Amino acid sequence: MSNGSSLNEFLLLAFADSRELQLLHFLLFLAIYLAALLGNSLIITAVACDHHLHTPMYFFLLNLSVLDLGSISTTVPKSMANSLWDTRAISYLGCAAQVFFFFFLFASEFYLLTVMAYDRFVAICRPLHYGTLMGNRACVRMAAAAWASAFLNALLHTANTFSIPLCLGNVVDQFFCEIPQILKLSCSDSYLREAGFVVVTSCLSLGCFIFIVLSYVQIFTAVLRIPSKQGRHKAFSMCLPHLAVVSLFLSTLMYAVLKPPSVSSPALDLALAVLYSVVPPTLNPLIYSMRNKELKDALRKVISWTFFSRGNIAIALHK
């Protein structure tokens, strides 16, 4: 194969060789995917329908749930279909689309988590200016900036990656298409151009990471100065879910990127990919709703309304 244009498809890494294990993988991923769909859809519905949750924090949480739905839908359904139909193939365009959407949604989530750290910082450290700094227009602009910058970043990386000549086969050592695995198929020095883009993106990501860390240093400093125990507990309850989500998101990703080559193996890379691409979108709704009474109440209303509506429909049909 002389270059990327001669490729019609790529072969993804299979989770198992035996048919029984393939079906087990399908059922496991189906359960995880349905849990992620249910959890994130409930949060989106609750925030959209409950006027008590029409605040900056829940607006950003709604955006996060949309991104989580998109990111897990980019990778998991194709992997499930391949296991069910006992195949490893993904089309060239399908692979390019997967690279673009995964990078776009993943970067959007990281930028949005940075914005959410700023929201928590303003709420706790600048409470008197919260209404001014986090007004409706400001929130929409910050969310739009996160989505737009991630879109341009993903477009740049995807276009550059698939313009590089690929002549080392079409086997991708991962269960979905991602840029590092595609670059391994290059046989020229063209990948150095993409490496330059990666450095720029890494610097931007490092800046976001430093901003999040500094925000939380100031947040915890301010919280520890609160005289009442109840006030400190309320402040920590506002911040800990976001901090848990950031920690889960960054710890798995950083280990995947920074792990020594000596400990790298296809099985380890596969496990890490599941940790940073599948686990966060599934656990994020649970993390945010565990200690949040407002969100729990809104979710109960949504679930009750859903069952009540279905009950009325069933009664009407029976009549």
Side-chain angles (χ1 to χ4, degrees), residues 2-8 92 162 164-166:
S2 58
N3 53 51
S5 62
S6 63
L7 287 173
N8 293 320
Y92 184 87
F162 284 90
I164 295 172
L166 306 174

Side-chain angles (χ1 to χ4, degrees), residues 16 29 59 65 72 84 96 103 108 132 144 147 175 183 197-198 204 229 235 256 258 263 270 272 289 291 301 303 317:
F29 262 35
F59 169 73
S65 293
I72 199 169
L84 184 62
F103 195 105
S108 295
T132 304
W147 285 72
F175 77 96
L183 292 179
F197 288 131
V198 170
L204 179 60
K229 185 178 179 180
L258 301 176
V263 301
L270 188 63
L272 288 172
S289 60
R291 301 185 63 182
K301 289 178 184 177
I303 294 170
L317 289 174

Side-chain angles (χ1 to χ4, degrees), residues 57 120 123-124 216 233-242 288:
M57 182 176 77
R120 296 299 83 208
I124 292 174
Y216 271 99
H233 180 268
K234 184 178 180 181
F236 276 125
S237 296
M238 291 171 63
C239 298
L240 288 180
H242 176 259
Y288 270 104

Side-chain angles (χ1 to χ4, degrees), residues 78-312:
K78 180 58 181 175
S79 181
M80 287 165 50
N82 281 2
S83 289
L84 184 62
W85 302 115
D86 191 19
T87 181
R88 297 170 55 196
I90 183 172
S91 67
Y92 184 87
L93 288 177
C95 186
Q98 207 171 53
V99 166
F100 170 77
F101 282 109
F102 184 75
F103 195 105
F104 164 54
L105 295 164
F106 210 71
S108 295
E109 182 160 344
F110 186 39
Y111 299 153
L112 188 67
L113 288 172
T114 306
V115 172
M116 292 172 79
Y118 175 71
D119 172 64
R120 296 299 83 208
F121 165 77
V122 176
I124 292 174
C125 300
R126 303 286 187 273
L128 297 179
H129 300 91
Y130 188 77
T132 304
L133 295 175
M134 301 302 296
N136 291 340
R137 288 187 179 181
C139 290
V140 170
R141 285 172 183 168
M142 284 187 278
W147 285 72
S149 55
F151 178 86
L152 293 174
N153 215 342
L155 191 63
L156 181 67
H157 280 281
T158 304
N160 190 62
T161 298
F162 284 90
S163 67
I164 295 172
L166 306 174
C167 58
L168 294 182
N170 66 338
V171 179
V172 178
D173 289 330
Q174 193 51 271
F175 77 96
F176 63 94
C177 290
E178 61 176 357
I179 291 174
Q181 301 300 331
I182 301 295
L183 292 179
K184 288 181 180 179
L185 305 179
S186 171
C187 59
S188 69
D189 292 333
S190 307
Y191 72 90
L192 293 175
R193 183 177 54 187
E194 173 60 20
F197 288 131
V198 170
V199 169
V200 174
T201 302
S202 299
C203 291
L204 179 60
S205 301
L206 180 62
C208 291
F209 174 73
I210 292 172
F211 181 85
I212 291 172
V213 171
L214 292 177
S215 295
Y216 271 99
V217 168
Q218 296 188 64
I219 286 171
F220 286 135
T221 302
V223 169
L224 293 174
R225 290 175 184 165
I226 297 175
S228 69
K229 185 178 179 180
Q230 186 178 1
R232 288 196 299 271
H233 180 268
K234 184 178 180 181
F236 276 125
S237 296
M238 291 171 63
C239 298
L240 288 180
H242 176 259
L243 189 59
V245 169
V246 171
S247 301
L248 177 66
F249 183 86
L250 291 180
S251 59
T252 54
L253 181 62
M254 288 177 70
Y255 184 75
V257 172
L258 301 176
K259 71 180 185 303
S262 58
V263 301
S264 182
S265 68
L268 179 61
D269 291 344
L270 188 63
L272 288 172
V274 171
L275 282 176
Y276 66 73
S277 65
V278 177
V279 173
T282 308
L283 291 185
N284 284 353
L286 183 63
I287 292 171
Y288 270 104
S289 60
M290 263 196 317
R291 301 185 63 182
N292 191 316
K293 187 178 182 301
E294 287 182 328
L295 188 56
K296 281 182 180 178
D297 291 341
L299 289 172
R300 286 193 193 100
K301 289 178 184 177
V302 170
I303 294 170
S304 300
W305 179 84
T306 303
F307 282 108
F308 179 74
S309 299
R310 286 183 177 179
N312 286 343

